[in-house]
Amino acid sequence: MSTMAMGDDPLQPEQQRHLVEAIAERSDREAFAALFRHFAPRLKTFFIRTGMRANHAEELAQETMLKVWRKAASFDAGKAGVSTWIYTIARNLRIDQLRREPPVALPDEDPSDIAELPLSAEDILLAAEREQLVRTALQSLPSEQADVVRLSYFSDKPHSEIAAELGIPIGTVKSRLRYAVTRLRSSLDKPQ
Amino acid sequence: MTLRHPQHHPSDETLLRFVSGSLPAAAALVVSVHRDGCPICRETIGHFEATGGALLDAVEPAALSDSALDDVLARLDEVEPAPSLQPAQAYREPFAPGLPLPSALRHCEIGNWQRVTPSLRIRRIRVPDAPEERLLLMHIGAGRRMPEHGHTGTEFTHVLSGRFYDHLGRYGPGDLEEADADIEHQPIVEPDEDCYCLAAVDGRMRLKSRIGRMVQPLFGF
């Protein structure tokens, strides 16, 4: 079976959620394979952009997906979309790799979330709406701001190195990031 | 302990570094302790994580090896290895009088109290995956002042109990002060109550006075 995801239509957020639910509810391997085909190649890109070699990035993409399988039951659609949830798993794995130990700073569950309330359709809708707003806001950023945001998420580089890479002063990196974050925030805070 | 909502928060830039995993471990722990008591920062962190998720979903996929999926499918039934990090030892003495150990610090080993100056005691907190980083629990007496200092990096101070002020503002339980590298300040504790706070420095601390420089090695910053 080819695991190349290129050429396939990317999974939409709602499809992603149904796949994770199928894994959580009935250990559905086909659902897992579909999710893998979408996310594993993107995770590999994500890890490569953080400075890993391709083979190491692929291993970590596989480890991330293994965690997705094991943790599917703890996925909370009222809190975040699937891509956000997988992002946090990948991010924590990368921190582990950097520090060679499991994460302490970024637990997957907030202690405040332990008392689980039944998930309403409205919760899921709100979380999905937020994800959509973020996507739209990201697309609307001017490219020089989007570059700084991307480098801030995908690399460990301090602002001084990002500045050197882009050939701009460090103050400009900070002001672009601040401006981008303000725009992202205002798009999220504003009810549409 | 208090129903007051935090008034002072980490900057957006710090929360973004926290979310993307590029904040040093000690500073990330201080932010974690603040986050656990701050609904506003939990929401901002949620927004920033959603941004990370959207970026992940939008990147160009990379080609995987032909066996990548089958290799993982073959491992789905493996038993998950137990986490290697266990909660650190139970403490005979409380973390600080009247204060429970913040859950974000449950994996940390916490040293004994050391007196640094007549008005300042500290406990070193060992960050398990970054033992070279400095995280301190500080106890400053009511009405006492810290040595005036600046830092080569950002200083993150989270108030656990009591209150202090400096020229940047007034800080109470749940508040986090973020003091940039270019700021020199001298926190002073309010007269009615001792202050316990957590502090991490992203870089080294520079103490201004001769006395300050003498106590610097004790700080470990």
Side-chain angles (χ1 to χ4, degrees):
Chain A
M1 182 192 310
S2 167
T3 54
M4 306 277 283
M6 284 173 287
D8 296 2
D9 284 334
L11 290 174
Q12 295 308 304
E14 205 185 326
Q15 296 172 295
Q16 297 173 7
R17 179 163 59 81
H18 290 314
L19 292 172
V20 174
E21 283 164 0
I23 297 168
E25 285 160 17
R26 44 181 191 278
S27 301
D28 186 329
R29 285 170 183 254
E30 278 179 32
F32 176 78
L35 207 60
F36 185 97
R37 286 191 204 97
H38 178 81
F39 278 107
R42 288 170 171 80
L43 287 164
K44 184 173 176 181
T45 303
F46 165 70
F47 287 122
I48 288 172
R49 291 210 184 149
T50 67
M52 284 179 201
R53 294 184 183 184
N55 58 349
H56 190 202
E58 181 161 321
E59 273 171 36
L60 269 194
Q62 290 174 305
E63 289 299 322
T64 305
M65 293 309 296
L66 206 53
K67 285 210 182 283
V68 166
W69 171 262
R70 288 171 178 159
K71 290 166 166 280
S74 71
F75 170 69
D76 179 351
K79 202 172 140 193
V82 171
S83 65
T84 298
W85 178 60
I86 294 181
Y87 168 77
T88 60
I89 294 173
R91 182 247 355 245
N92 288 356
L93 269 175
R94 193 170 70 87
I95 296 175
D96 296 356
Q97 288 290 309
L98 292 174
R99 300 183 188 159
R100 313 301 303 168
E101 294 259 42
V104 293
L106 297 152
D108 297 314
E109 284 101 350
D110 279 334
S112 55
D113 291 336
I114 290 168
E116 293 267 332
L117 292 167
L119 208 55
S120 73
E122 199 191 343
D123 292 333
I124 296 174
L125 209 64
L126 280 173
E129 191 180 22
R130 176 168 80 179
E131 306 270 316
Q132 188 51 49
L133 285 173
V134 166
R135 278 159 213 261
T136 311
L138 268 177
Q139 283 159 7
S140 73
L141 286 179
S143 65
E144 76 268 13
Q145 284 173 28
D147 287 345
V148 173
V149 170
R150 243 173 245 123
L151 283 170
S152 302
Y153 271 93
F154 288 152
S155 75
D156 280 326
K157 294 187 180 115
H159 289 155
S160 55
E161 277 178 44
I162 293 177
E165 194 165 306
L166 296 175
I168 54 177
I170 186 167
T172 309
V173 172
K174 289 191 183 219
S175 61
R176 281 184 190 173
L177 190 59
R178 202 171 302 128
Y179 192 73
V181 162
T182 308
R183 276 182 73 147
L184 289 172
R185 282 190 78 128
S186 63
S187 67
L188 288 160
D189 293 342
K190 233 182 290 164
Q192 295 284 301
Chain B
M1 183 177 61
T2 174
L3 290 174
R4 173 183 179 275
H5 274 316
Q7 306 290 308
H8 296 276
H9 309 276
S11 66
D12 278 348
E13 183 187 330
T14 294
L15 290 177
L16 184 58
R17 291 175 69 201
F18 177 78
V19 163
S20 68
S22 61
L23 200 62
L29 282 173
V30 177
V31 173
S32 295
V33 172
H34 174 82
R35 175 222 32 214
D36 289 346
C38 182
I40 296 167
C41 287
R42 279 203 296 277
E43 188 169 344
T44 305
I45 287 167
H47 289 169
F48 287 171
E49 286 179 342
T51 307
L55 287 168
L56 172 66
D57 219 16
V59 294
E60 197 63 31
L64 300 181
S65 57
D66 287 342
S67 64
L69 174 57
D70 290 337
D71 291 348
V72 174
L73 286 172
R75 292 177 59 196
L76 293 186
D77 298 323
E78 277 177 15
V79 178
E80 184 170 17
S84 61
L85 252 195
Q86 300 298 330
Q89 82 277 5
Y91 298 104
R92 281 201 201 135
E93 54 175 323
F95 181 58
L99 292 174
L101 180 73
S103 72
L105 303 182
R106 64 195 180 281
H107 298 300
C108 299
E109 280 175 37
I110 295 169
N112 293 321
W113 284 110
Q114 293 171 270
R115 188 164 289 284
V116 180
T117 70
S119 55
L120 171 68
R121 294 190 307 153
I122 61 167
R123 296 181 84 170
R124 289 167 195 273
I125 300 173
R126 189 175 168 277
V127 183
D129 40 11
E132 74 290 352
E133 290 191 29
R134 295 294 179 210
L135 179 58
L136 298 179
L137 171 63
M138 304 206 286
H139 168 213
I140 307 145
R144 310 304 288 264
R145 53 186 61 206
M146 284 273 293
E148 187 175 5
H149 63 278
H151 349 85
T152 55
T154 305
E155 179 188 56
F156 302 90
T157 308
H158 174 83
V159 182
L160 296 164
S161 72
R163 284 182 302 280
F164 73 80
Y165 61 93
D166 59 20
H167 69 278
L168 296 176
R170 308 185 90 84
Y171 300 85
D175 285 341
L176 187 144
E177 181 187 43
E178 187 173 323
D180 279 339
D182 48 0
I183 288 165
E184 294 203 333
H185 63 155
Q186 182 170 39
I188 300 168
V189 173
E190 304 270 8
D192 54 336
E193 195 186 339
D194 285 11
C195 180
Y196 288 88
C197 51
L198 282 172
V201 170
D202 182 3
R204 286 179 66 86
M205 197 183 258
R206 286 180 283 112
L207 291 157
K208 235 188 150 186
S209 67
R210 197 169 63 83
I211 292 285
R213 285 194 299 275
M214 280 167 63
V215 302
Q216 181 156 17
L218 299 166
F219 266 112
F221 279 136

